[in-house]
Amino acid sequence: MQYCYSQQNYDASREYQLIVYLHGAGGIGNDNKRQINNCMLLERLVSDEYIESHPCIIVAPQTSQWWIENQLITAMNIVKEVDSKYNIDDERKVLIGCSMGGAAVWDMLFLYPDYFDAAVPVSGDVYIFNPSRTHMLDNKSIYDNVNSIKDIAIWIFHGTNDNVIDIGPARKMYKILISVGGNVYMTENPTAGHNSNLIAFSTPTFYNWLFSEDFKLPDRKENTLLTAPVLIAALSAAATISLLVTISIVAAKRQSAKKKSSGAEK
């Protein structure tokens, strides 16, 4: 394990929102950097616009293979360790993941249904612990267990024309949650392809929701569309079994954060 800290102006007397980010295949590695490089979400959270008004604690683990169950358990152990060391708001724990990480969001929710208050699976498939990476949405166990996550505020983002991960499983999971009265909302974009992260993480509406008091989702409308620039995501793969984590405490002004040597350990 390896940790990177930035502890500027951490105040133990106040509660902090927790954001756990699960990277996609492009972040696979063991350098503790690729999972956070060029991530629009994380860049926004530590920007001048947000770092003072919305201080939070970010846990961004890195896996050197696919997010299979044992990696998620290890990642969650790290999250719980952070939770024990820092003053985390028990009602403001958010899980976000893109692509491979978006699929892992579903697995993590089913593993730990009582931990997270909100979740954002972006461009993710739905496997639910199936190591063969085939879909399990017709399996009765999904319907038996979905009630355990129906009260979590879940905002799904997916491109209608995604040719890397088909939108079908996400739509079906959305409908399953709707059928049990789930607290869920889905945003589709007809031109985003596999880059719905650029839609989600560049939209003011999303950040207003992310930092809202109660994670109240927008009024449900089918085929809600948002627009943003579209880029091509770089995907890669690796086979080793290791897990690294970056923990960034963004409770300081950007100017202080830019001082590389100030209050940082590695």
Side-chain angles (χ1 to χ4, degrees):
M1 298 294 173
Q2 180 180 356
Y3 298 90
C4 293
Y5 295 94
S6 176
Q7 298 186 350
Q8 298 102 344
N9 294 349
Y10 171 71
D11 181 358
S13 67
R14 67 175 298 177
E15 290 184 322
Y16 289 82
Q17 181 165 341
L18 174 68
I19 296 176
V20 178
Y21 176 73
L22 302 178
H23 65 80
I28 288 175
N30 55 13
D31 60 358
N32 206 24
K33 294 179 181 179
R34 293 186 67 185
Q35 82 276 26
I36 61 175
N37 286 345
N38 301 314
C39 176
M40 182 183 292
L41 172 67
L42 302 184
E43 290 175 355
R44 181 68 63 90
L45 293 178
V46 298
S47 68
D48 293 333
E49 184 179 1
Y50 288 98
I51 198 167
E52 185 173 5
S53 59
H54 301 295
C56 59
I57 294 177
I58 302 169
V59 182
Q62 182 185 36
T63 180
S64 56
Q65 63 164 335
W66 294 96
W67 283 116
I68 57 178
E69 187 173 353
N70 65 331
Q71 273 79 37
L72 292 174
I73 291 172
T74 303
M76 193 62 190
N77 288 338
I78 294 168
V79 171
K80 290 180 177 179
E81 182 179 349
V82 173
D83 200 341
S84 70
K85 291 183 177 180
Y86 299 98
N87 193 5
I88 304 296
D89 189 335
D90 286 335
E91 297 182 354
R92 303 194 56 73
K93 299 174 180 178
V94 185
L95 178 64
I96 302 174
C98 294
S99 191
M100 181 184 76
V105 164
W106 295 112
D107 284 356
M108 186 76 97
L109 291 181
F110 277 94
L111 273 173
Y112 304 99
D114 298 323
Y115 187 83
F116 293 100
D117 303 291
V120 186
V122 181
S123 301
D125 216 324
V126 186
Y127 302 117
I128 315 298
F129 308 124
N130 187 355
S132 66
R133 318 309 291 172
T134 54
H135 299 118
M136 297 289 285
L137 290 179
D138 293 324
N139 190 310
K140 186 176 182 294
S141 64
I142 297 296
Y143 292 87
D144 291 342
N145 295 321
V146 74
N147 280 294
S148 67
I149 68 168
K150 72 181 182 67
D151 293 328
I152 300 170
I154 302 174
W155 193 338
I156 305 167
F157 286 84
H158 212 113
T160 307
N161 65 334
D162 191 334
N163 62 0
V164 176
I165 297 179
D166 184 73
I167 195 174
R171 281 176 173 168
K172 189 161 189 178
M173 193 66 193
Y174 171 73
K175 291 178 181 178
I176 291 173
L177 283 164
I178 291 294
S179 73
V180 297
N183 186 17
V184 62
Y185 186 76
M186 186 167 182
T187 294
E188 296 185 19
N189 184 279
T191 61
H194 191 53
N195 296 284
S196 284
N197 59 311
L198 301 182
I199 307 300
F201 303 152
S202 65
T203 305
T205 301
F206 170 75
Y207 291 97
N208 291 339
W209 169 81
L210 181 63
F211 294 111
S212 64
E213 289 295 325
D214 56 2
F215 299 117
K216 178 176 171 51
L217 293 163
D219 292 336
R220 190 176 297 136
K221 295 179 181 179
E222 300 302 325
N223 298 319
T224 301
L225 305 179
L226 295 174
T227 59
V230 175
L231 301 177
I232 302 299
L235 303 178
S236 64
T240 57
I241 304 175
S242 66
L243 184 68
L244 304 173
V245 66
T246 295
I247 304 170
S248 299
I249 302 175
V250 289
K253 294 182 179 180
R254 183 63 172 172
Q255 183 176 3
S256 297
K258 288 180 179 178
K259 297 179 180 179
K260 298 181 180 178
S261 60
S262 174
E265 300 178 10
K266 188 170 183 179

